[in-house]
Amino acid sequence: MQIQDLPYADPGVPDARSGPRFLWWLFRNQLGGQLKSLAWGLLHFASVAALPFCVGVAVQAVVDRSGTRLALAGGLLALVCVTNAVGDTFLHRTAITNWITAAARVQQLLARKAAQLGSALTRRVAAGEVVAVSTGDVEKIGWFVEALSRFTAALVTIVLVCVGLLVYQPALGVVVAVGLPVLALAVLPLLPRATRRADTQREKAGRATELASDTVAGLRVLRGIGGEELFLDRYRSASQEVRHAAVRSARMWSLISAIQVLLPGLLLIAVVWHGVQLARQGRITVGELVTVYSSVMVLTYPLRHFEEIAMAYSFSRPSAKRAAGVLSLERATDTAGSRAAEAPSGDLYDPDTGLLATPGRLTAVVCGDPDTAGRLAERLGGHPSQEGTSVLLGGVPLDELPLDSARTAVLVQDKDPVLLSGSLRELLDVPASGAVEPQEALAAAQCDDVLAALVQGSLDAADPMDARITERGRSLSGGQRQRLALARSLITDPEVLVLDEPTSAVDSHTEARIAEGVRELRAGRTTVVFTSSPLLLDRSDRVVFLHDGEVAAVGAHRELVRTEPRYRAVVTRETEDEAALNGEANLTDVLAELEEIEEKA
């Protein structure tokens, strides 16, 4: 896999049972790239290790006054330098490729999981945690995958050099062969403590990120109640905790680095002292002493990769554990479905509540509990986050269809839709039947003032479709965001469209025009609207009233206002007792208000 081939056509099915298993799965799926990196790493490290031999041959040739051997040593030295440069260059290329492709694979897996879980994701994992996993954790996981092949090449090189020194000069080779494993293993007792400190730092950073995310999301509310300073103080406190944890972690890693510098220096002193004694006794030549000394000096370079792999694993293991935790989340239903993909049509029926939406009609649903309404709206789309009886579309259980088929058949717009940053053209570029043009959808959703506001806010956009939308549409009002989201849903033109409080943030006159626009544009298609707005209810073909989780009444809006006190209490925001006492007066007021708004609209 090369960087230019990203993204993956299929990132695969990860082993998310634990962090180490997930890392091993990533390694196996990049085996080709790892072997390339290992091959170039061996060439690089072998060339580095061969330099002392060439220098030793050259020194001994000068001592022996042999021009032939000196020329040979020079040629070998030049060849080793070339192979070193080539190996280092391509090792870097392949290692970075492994890093980026591993990170891209994890990000694709996380994006796919987020799309599968939908709104259920942030109910089960904090939004700040998801952000931390998809940014910082992905980078740390890629670091370990990238460093693994370099470490393997360094380890193989060190073993080969130790064996070579034992054969070349046994008296000094024994010292090196015994000392190097001690150097490599000396920091192992410190790693658990370093890992714990790194975990603590990551946890505190995740909490700080979550706090910052929540603060930004609720900034308007905080400003309204004067709570900015309170939350800023909380974030400052959380940030200081992260700083203290980072300092504690850095101290431990600096100690490990110091040991990795100190011990090789002590080994070098031991080799030089012992080698000088052997040279004075005539048991080794000057060239051999220079060769062994240079080998120990050079081996400190691959030895650094032991520290790097330890640090990379310590940071990536908790990151992989968190990523595996997100990737292991599943919906209550099998997203692959037990049926073949199909596009059912017909009545939309919920066995739990008895709700029935007939085809080609606008059905309004009134429910006194917003949470119950939200759960029902999610269930109508199939594959809900909680287990329950499947909703039927044309007699076909939606939960048994593949998730893509269910989403194609029934589209649910929740009460808090998200607008991604980008141009309006990109926002409206969604999978659609092609029967509804963007301009028609925007007109039905009464977006004329929204388009004007977008053009005014984008000085370089003459066409409203090229106007930029900020992240989550923060530059727009709640009503403007709601109408753009409604237009996006109308463009898709699904078989069944479910809208949860689509006009809760707009004024009554705009709401009346939206009701007419949606009714006309969705003529002949099934539309279900969860609302308690008299304007939307009055323009619906059929109103279903739910009480205590079951259908309590079905009929026209004006009929239900007249005959059903509980329904009237929800629509007029009165208690049931008040509605019973003042039913006739309330009915007259409601009807008069509807007629007045119709005349003005």
Side-chain angles (χ1 to χ4, degrees), residues 131-190:
V131 172
V133 169
S134 59
T135 53
D137 284 338
V138 165
E139 182 178 350
K140 292 180 178 66
I141 292 170
W143 177 28
F144 174 74
V145 173
E146 174 261 338
L148 191 58
S149 56
R150 283 209 312 271
F151 163 73
T152 305
L155 177 61
V156 172
T157 302
I158 289 174
V159 172
L160 293 177
V161 170
C162 288
V163 172
L165 289 178
L166 284 172
V167 174
Y168 178 71
Q169 181 43 252
L172 286 176
V174 170
V175 177
V176 177
V178 172
L180 284 178
V182 173
L183 297 183
L185 302 176
V187 298
L188 286 182
L190 299 176

Side-chain angles (χ1 to χ4, degrees), residues 16-19 113 125 319-330:
R17 289 176 290 177
S18 66
K113 180 60 65 175
V125 183
S319 295
K321 179 181 178 181
R322 280 182 287 270
V326 174
L327 295 175
S328 64
L329 298 176
E330 296 292 343

